[in-house]
């Protein structure tokens, strides 16, 4: 043990170094899988703080967890503790409940058998009588059991390496007296993983800081600062709060042993040296110190040997740690003339207020909406707004894959992805030459930069909650690889009416998302067909959610022969709109010459008004009235309002857009568009609600005249569009699911109360970055 702790060299122990290399390779492989979402991390339904370390034992996690639990109770939070229960058997016993697939034991008031729960959970339960302690082989089952006990925040004991359990903050403890041991991984050293793993930590606490000299502490700080900012590094020390004597059944408070008292100390803990130093600082004289393996379960013979040794050496008492009490066999009692004293150790932070301000800041919910397309960005903005309204304390961020995220920026949301501006505008699935053009424009560079942005995002300033993806399977995989987290997925890009998801896509969606919302019931059935337990749902169309709070209304009636119909012009949102706008305007002139009409043009937020006006040949731009004017007397007002606010009184759409075309069809407005590959795909979705014509102004005008002049055709197209597109509701269901099933509502509540309680300290805990522009 002295070798692995770095206290002396041993050639025999050095033979284990190659095994440590194997350990390092295994850990690196697991880290890769977790960082890229290839191994599942389950998000707990409650906010969770992990307290762990880099080394095998000895950092005093148990008193630190106790201190945290007490501090949270003082701040009005109901904490619970989940533990793996090392060296205990999973079997129920009086005072514990059992639940979950693998069994969960709930301890209250320290009642229970050490052989079932383990020593540390029993110690915590006894020291914290009002805090439930769950012992579970699968910690996520323990968290769910604690949720039923009314717990609001969970402390996970020794969970830093348990990557399968999601967490809101990681506190890593480092023993200042023996920080890294020999510097090797187990079994040749005491490291569980390389020191670089500290980059995952939210806070680092250097424990036992009073047991090393200032220079050693300064060097250790410098080492840790290579992986974590200095403002997130703290120090703590251990103090003996009180003494107790063990009578064989219970501990009773006793007077502090006078200095110079001769004692025999024994322990079975990870760092017996710190225990010895604490006794020496208390003024006790150790006649002998006996060390056992961590979590050692003492036998009657062990204790008989200790008693004989103590009497032989003239000791006045035995001394052990509080944890050791739970490893003493039932029925054993100390001799009357040789009492057993137990110091009750407390962890004390050197900067408690600053520590809890920083910890609270890491608990702030951080929510990310990812999207990959201009129409998807519009849905993402609406989803982000609803998240902000439901969780006002959360930091809501955007991660668009296409463009610069202008829609998010204009809505006041922070854009965290590198811009991706390509010739196709993000649409490369219809023509290989578009893909080639995007590759030449740096598409691979954009993808790489955005993956780096994901890594930076998930490792800075707190845990990113489950991402919310709006788009296609490529976005899903990009988010998974970049963030490592399985997202909630609004599958807006595909439906069974557009040939549905491929078999591989269905497998990826089922395996790598927590829940999927589809555009129609048939698509949900298709995704769930291979696995009845899979949660793919239809709760309304996410496309129709873009209508916002527009009340439902009957479809527009066919315009009469003597009426002047209002025709909506939609050039689309991608760069090609600057060329397509002339096609629509020429069609409008031809239509107006055959039948007088009124016109309105809707401009996507991605388009430059000045550039568009310049591109309109034969039209003058009236800046005061914000309209295009033609010498023939036709005026086309321009608006940037959302589609939902521009369709009142509209009879027909001549549109070259994607999402906007679908929204108009869903409102019952017949759609005229051009016959090209992308629009033929959209035609599968809209069916007879859309009329495709050749890409000429005359053909578009003729198509509009045909629909406006045939009431039966007009009514059939209107009804078909409403049937095909369905009703809104998906985004509200996404937010409600996250609030209840993923625990975002309780995280919001806990953070608000903790940050409110810290307001008197003058700290800015909001970290509000929602109004920042793109990077």
């Amino acid at each position: 043990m002295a070798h692995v702790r770095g206290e002396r060299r041993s050639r025999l122990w050095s033979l284990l170094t190659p095994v440590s290399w194997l350990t390092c390779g295994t850990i690196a492989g697991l880290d890769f899988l977790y960082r890229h979402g290839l191994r599942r991390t389950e998000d707990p339904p409650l906010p969770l703080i992990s307290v762990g370390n880099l080394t095998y034992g000895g950092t005093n996690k148990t008193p630190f967890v106790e201190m945290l639990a007490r501090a949270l109770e003082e701040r009005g939070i109901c904490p619970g503790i989940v533990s793996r229960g090392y060296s205990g058997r999973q079997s129920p016993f009086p005072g514990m409940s059992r639940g979950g697939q693998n069994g969960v034991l709930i301890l209250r008031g320290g009642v229970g058998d050490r052989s079932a729960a383990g020593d540390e959970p029993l110690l915590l339960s006894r020291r914290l009588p009002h805090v439930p302690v769950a012992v579970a082989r699968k910690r996520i089952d323990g968290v769910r059991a604690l949720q039923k006990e009314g717990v609001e925040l969970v402390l996970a004991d020794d969970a830093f390496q348990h990557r399968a359990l999601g967490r809101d903050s990681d506190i890593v403890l480092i023993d200042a007296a023996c920080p890294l041991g020999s510097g090797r991984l187990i079994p040749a050293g005491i490291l569980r993983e390389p020191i670089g793993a500290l980059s995952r930590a939210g806070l680092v606490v250097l424990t036992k800081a009073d047991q090393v000299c200032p220079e050693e502490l300064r060097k250790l700080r410098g080492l840790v600062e290579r992986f974590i900012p200095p403002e997130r590094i703290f120090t703590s020390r251990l103090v003996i709060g009180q003494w107790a004597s063990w009578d064989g059944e219970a501990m009773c408070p006793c007077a502090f042993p006078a200095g110079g008292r001769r004692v025999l100390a024994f322990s079975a803990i990870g760092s017996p040296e710190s225990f010895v130093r604490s006794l020496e600082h208390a003024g006790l004289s150790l006649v002998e110190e006996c060390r056992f393996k961590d979590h050692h379960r003492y036998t009657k013979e062990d204790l008989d040997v200790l008693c004989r040794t103590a009497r032989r050496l003239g000791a006045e008492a035995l001394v052990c740690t509080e944890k050791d009490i739970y490893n003493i066999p039932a029925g054993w009692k100390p001799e009357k003339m040789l009492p057993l004293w137990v110091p009750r150790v407390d962890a004390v932070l050197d900067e408690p207020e600053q520590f809890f301000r920083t910890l609270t800041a890491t608990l702030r919910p951080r929510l990310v909406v990812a999207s990959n397309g201009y129409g998807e960005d519009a849905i993402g903005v609406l989803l982000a707004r609803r998240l902000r309204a439901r969780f006002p304390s959360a930091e809501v961020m955007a991660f668009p894959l296409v463009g610069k995220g202008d829609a998010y920026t204009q809505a006041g949301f922070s854009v965290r992805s590198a811009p991706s501006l390509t010739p196709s505008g993000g649409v490369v699935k219809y023509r290989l030459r578009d893909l080639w053009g995007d590759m030449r424009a740096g598409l691979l560079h954009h993808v790489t930069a955005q993956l780096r942005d994901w890594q930076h995002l998930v490792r800075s300033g707190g845990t990113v909650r489950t991402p919310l993806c709006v788009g296609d399977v490529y976005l899903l995989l990009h988010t998974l690889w970049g963030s490592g987290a399985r997202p909630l997925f609004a599958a807006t890009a595909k439906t069974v009416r557009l040939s549905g998801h491929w078999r591989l896509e269905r497998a990826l969606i089922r395996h790598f998302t927590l829940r999927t919302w589809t555009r129609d019931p048939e698509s949900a059935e298709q995704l769930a067909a291979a696995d009845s337990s899979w949660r793919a749902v239809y709760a309304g169309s996410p496309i129709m959610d873009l209508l916002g709070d527009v009340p439902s209304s009957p479809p527009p009636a066919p315009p009469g022969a003597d009426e002047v119909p209002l025709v909506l012009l939609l050039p689309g949102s991608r760069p090609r709109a600057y060329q397509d706008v002339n096609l629509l305007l020429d069609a409008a002139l031809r239509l107006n010459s055959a039948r007088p009409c009124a016109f309105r043009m809707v401009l996507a937020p991605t388009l430059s008004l000045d550039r568009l006006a310049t591109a309109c040949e034969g039209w003058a731009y009236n800046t005061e009235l914000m309209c295009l004017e033609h010498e023939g007397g036709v005026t086309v007002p321009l608006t940037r309002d959302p589609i939902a606010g521009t369709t009142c009184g509209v009879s027909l759409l001549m549109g070259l857009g994607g999402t906007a075309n679908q929204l108009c069809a869903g409102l019952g407005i017949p759609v005229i568009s051009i016959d090209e590959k992308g629009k033929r795909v959209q035609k599968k979705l809209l069916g007879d609600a859309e009329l495709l014509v050749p890409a000429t102004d005359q053909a578009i005008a003729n198509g509009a005249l045909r629909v406006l002049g045939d009431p039966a055709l007009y009514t059939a197209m209107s009804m078909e569009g409403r049937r095909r597109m369905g009703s809104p509701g998906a985004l509200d269901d996404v937010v409600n699911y996250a609030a209840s099933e993923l625990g975002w509502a309780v995280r919001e509540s806990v953070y608000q109360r903790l940050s409110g309680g810290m307001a008197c300290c003058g700290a800015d805990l909001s970290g509000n970055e929602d109004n920042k522009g793109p990077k």
Side-chain angles (χ1 to χ4, degrees):
M1 192 64 182
H3 169 79
V4 297
R5 294 180 63 84
E7 296 168 359
R8 70 168 183 261
R9 295 183 178 276
S10 168
R11 292 184 178 179
L12 182 61
W13 273 100
S14 297
L15 295 176
L16 294 174
T17 299
V19 185
S20 294
W21 297 341
L22 179 61
T23 302
C24 185
T26 302
I27 291 171
L30 289 173
D31 178 66
F32 178 88
L33 295 177
Y34 277 115
R35 279 191 295 110
H36 298 300
L38 301 178
R39 281 186 70 102
R40 184 182 297 272
T41 297
E42 296 197 59
D43 223 7
L46 295 172
L48 185 143
I49 301 172
S50 162
V51 180
N53 56 17
L54 283 179
T55 57
Y56 182 75
T59 56
N60 297 103
K61 292 186 298 295
T62 302
F64 197 89
V65 169
E66 178 191 349
M67 179 272 297
L68 278 180
R70 293 188 188 279
L72 290 167
E73 282 188 301
E74 292 171 0
R75 288 162 172 79
I77 306 300
C78 296
I81 299 170
V82 64
S83 173
R84 174 67 173 76
Y86 294 102
S87 73
R89 299 190 305 271
Q90 286 292 87
S91 58
F93 53 87
M96 295 188 180
S97 62
R98 180 172 179 172
Q101 181 179 359
N102 298 317
V104 178
L105 307 176
I106 302 294
L107 288 165
R108 285 187 178 274
V111 178
D113 182 358
R114 181 262 180 225
S115 64
D119 45 20
E120 291 170 351
L122 279 171
L123 171 58
L124 286 167
S125 180
R126 178 168 291 183
R127 294 289 296 267
L128 301 163
H130 303 297
V131 176
V133 179
V135 182
R137 293 195 183 277
K138 287 186 66 176
R139 287 182 175 92
I140 188 65
D141 291 337
V143 174
R144 293 182 179 122
L146 290 173
Q147 184 183 28
K148 297 177 181 178
E149 298 286 327
V151 165
E152 296 176 300
L153 185 147
V154 176
L155 300 173
D157 184 23
D158 197 16
F160 186 56
Q161 285 76 33
H162 188 63
R163 306 276 292 275
L165 178 66
R167 69 283 315 274
D168 296 76
S169 185
D170 259 309
I171 300 175
V172 177
L173 309 182
I174 297 179
D175 181 357
C178 182
L180 305 177
S182 65
R184 295 187 176 93
L185 271 67
I186 54 176
I190 60 173
L191 286 176
R192 294 179 174 184
E193 54 184 326
I195 190 173
L198 286 178
S199 60
R200 302 199 314 267
L203 298 89
V204 170
V205 179
L206 309 179
T207 65
K208 309 175 194 173
D210 56 328
Q211 297 184 12
V212 297
C213 68
E215 179 61 21
E216 290 181 358
L217 190 63
R218 185 190 65 79
K219 289 181 179 179
L220 179 57
R221 270 185 173 275
L223 176 63
V224 175
E225 286 176 7
R226 292 167 52 189
F227 307 100
I228 188 171
E231 62 270 16
R232 289 195 269 149
I233 303 173
F234 298 88
T235 56
S236 73
R237 48 197 165 84
L238 294 176
V239 298
I240 298 177
Q242 58 180 319
W243 285 83
S245 62
W246 173 256
D247 63 6
E249 295 181 358
M251 286 195 295
C252 303
C254 66
F256 180 79
R261 302 290 289 273
R262 294 167 58 83
V263 298
L264 182 146
F266 66 95
S267 63
I269 58 177
S271 179
E273 294 81 3
S274 65
F275 174 54
V276 171
R277 283 192 288 267
S278 297
L279 298 179
E280 291 173 344
H281 289 169
L284 298 180
S285 175
L286 272 65
V287 300
E288 182 72 32
E289 185 218 346
C290 300
R291 301 180 180 181
F292 295 82
K293 183 181 178 181
D294 195 11
H295 301 288
H296 174 72
R297 299 176 65 183
Y298 299 101
T299 63
K300 185 177 181 300
E301 290 71 23
D302 292 334
L303 296 168
D304 289 342
V305 171
L306 292 172
C307 289
R308 288 197 299 269
T309 304
R311 289 194 300 270
R312 176 171 56 82
L313 297 176
E316 301 173 62
L318 299 173
V319 179
C320 70
T321 70
E322 194 171 359
K323 187 174 77 169
D324 288 307
I325 292 297
Y326 298 96
N327 292 326
I328 291 177
W332 182 86
K333 295 186 178 182
E335 301 174 7
K336 290 185 178 180
M337 301 304 294
L338 194 65
L340 176 57
W341 292 336
V342 181
R344 306 192 75 166
V345 177
D346 297 323
V348 177
L349 285 161
D350 292 325
E351 299 175 283
E353 294 301 329
Q354 181 62 32
F355 173 85
F356 280 101
R357 280 197 296 267
T358 306
L359 177 61
T360 298
T362 66
L363 294 176
R364 183 189 184 195
R366 305 176 75 219
L367 314 179
V368 181
V369 177
S371 54
N372 65 329
Y374 295 104
E376 287 79 5
D377 286 357
I379 300 173
V381 167
L382 183 58
L383 178 57
R385 283 175 171 158
R386 297 190 183 186
L387 290 171
R388 178 183 280 172
R390 185 69 177 272
F391 313 111
S393 297
E395 180 186 2
V396 183
M397 301 165 282
F399 205 99
L401 300 193
V402 177
K404 298 187 297 182
D406 291 339
Y408 290 105
T409 304
Q410 292 168 10
F413 294 100
S414 171
V415 173
R416 296 305 184 93
S417 57
S420 178
L421 301 173
T422 57
S424 75
V427 180
V428 299
K429 57 187 176 182
Y430 300 130
R431 291 181 296 186
L432 287 176
R433 67 180 181 183
D434 288 338
L435 174 60
W436 175 244
D438 285 0
M439 296 282 285
R440 295 184 63 184
L443 178 61
L444 291 180
H445 172 75
H446 298 164
V447 172
T448 303
Q450 289 176 342
L451 290 174
R452 286 198 302 266
D453 288 339
W454 271 120
Q455 290 295 306
H456 176 74
L457 182 59
V458 300
R459 292 200 173 195
S460 63
T463 300
V464 172
R465 298 257 56 84
T466 303
L468 299 98
C469 291
V470 180
D472 58 17
V473 173
Y474 169 74
L475 171 68
L476 163 64
L477 295 178
H478 189 287
T479 301
L480 181 77
W481 188 265
S483 70
R486 283 167 165 75
L488 300 180
F489 183 42
T492 60
K494 283 196 173 183
T495 161
V496 292
R497 298 188 179 115
L498 298 178
S499 73
H501 292 92
W502 303 331
R503 180 174 297 181
L504 176 60
E505 289 179 315
R506 296 198 296 270
L508 291 172
I509 291 173
R510 284 195 297 268
H511 188 70
F512 290 120
T513 67
L514 293 180
R515 193 178 180 92
T516 297
W517 285 261
T518 63
R519 296 176 52 145
D520 47 64
E522 296 83 2
S523 296
E525 293 174 4
Q526 183 197 52
L527 286 174
D531 184 356
S532 60
S533 65
W534 172 245
R535 293 181 295 180
V537 299
Y538 172 71
S541 170
I543 305 297
M544 297 306 293
D545 278 317
L546 286 171
L547 296 175
D549 298 325
V550 174
S552 59
S553 59
D562 57 345
E563 293 183 45
V564 177
L566 175 59
V567 178
L568 203 63
L569 305 180
L570 188 69
S573 58
R574 292 186 168 81
R576 60 172 285 185
Y578 297 113
Q579 289 78 44
D580 289 341
V581 66
N582 286 294
L583 177 64
L584 289 178
L585 290 173
D586 290 345
L589 291 175
R590 289 187 179 275
L591 173 61
N592 188 70
S593 65
R595 176 175 180 169
C597 295
F599 299 96
R600 179 186 300 157
M601 181 178 291
V602 180
L603 303 182
T606 56
L607 299 181
S608 165
L609 182 56
D610 291 338
R611 181 180 172 187
L612 187 94
T614 303
C616 297
E617 300 174 2
W619 293 77
Y621 175 48
N622 187 322
T623 56
E624 183 177 350
L625 298 179
M626 194 175 171
C627 66
L628 295 173
E629 299 174 340
H630 192 268
E631 59 184 11
V634 177
T635 299
V636 179
L638 306 178
T639 178
R640 287 191 181 275
D641 292 340
I643 283 291
T646 60
T647 56
C648 181
V650 171
S651 297
L652 183 75
L653 169 68
M654 297 196 305
L656 305 180
T659 303
N661 280 22
Q662 297 168 35
L663 279 174
C664 288
L667 289 171
I669 300 172
V671 178
I672 308 294
S673 193
I674 60 175
D675 188 1
E676 63 176 14
K677 188 170 185 179
K679 292 299 180 286
R680 286 195 293 272
V681 172
Q682 183 172 264
K683 171 74 171 176
K684 295 178 182 178
L685 172 65
L686 298 181
D688 291 337
E690 182 179 48
L691 178 64
L692 298 185
V693 298
T696 66
D697 54 354
Q698 185 65 62
I700 295 174
N702 289 343
L705 285 171
R706 176 187 168 193
V707 174
L708 292 173
D710 187 340
L713 174 61
Y714 187 100
T715 300
M717 292 181 69
S718 178
M719 297 302 293
E720 179 72 355
R722 291 170 69 91
R723 185 186 72 81
R724 288 260 182 168
M725 291 304 301
S727 60
L731 299 188
D732 282 336
D733 196 64
V734 171
V735 175
N736 291 335
Y737 177 84
S740 59
E741 299 299 320
L742 299 185
W744 291 10
V746 69
R747 286 179 167 88
E748 169 78 8
S749 173
V750 166
Y751 173 75
Q752 283 188 343
R753 282 181 284 156
L754 286 176
S755 58
M758 288 293 177
C760 60
C761 300
D764 178 11
L765 296 174
S766 66
N768 196 340
E769 298 178 342
D770 287 342
N771 293 321
K772 291 181 181 178
K775 298 192 308 179

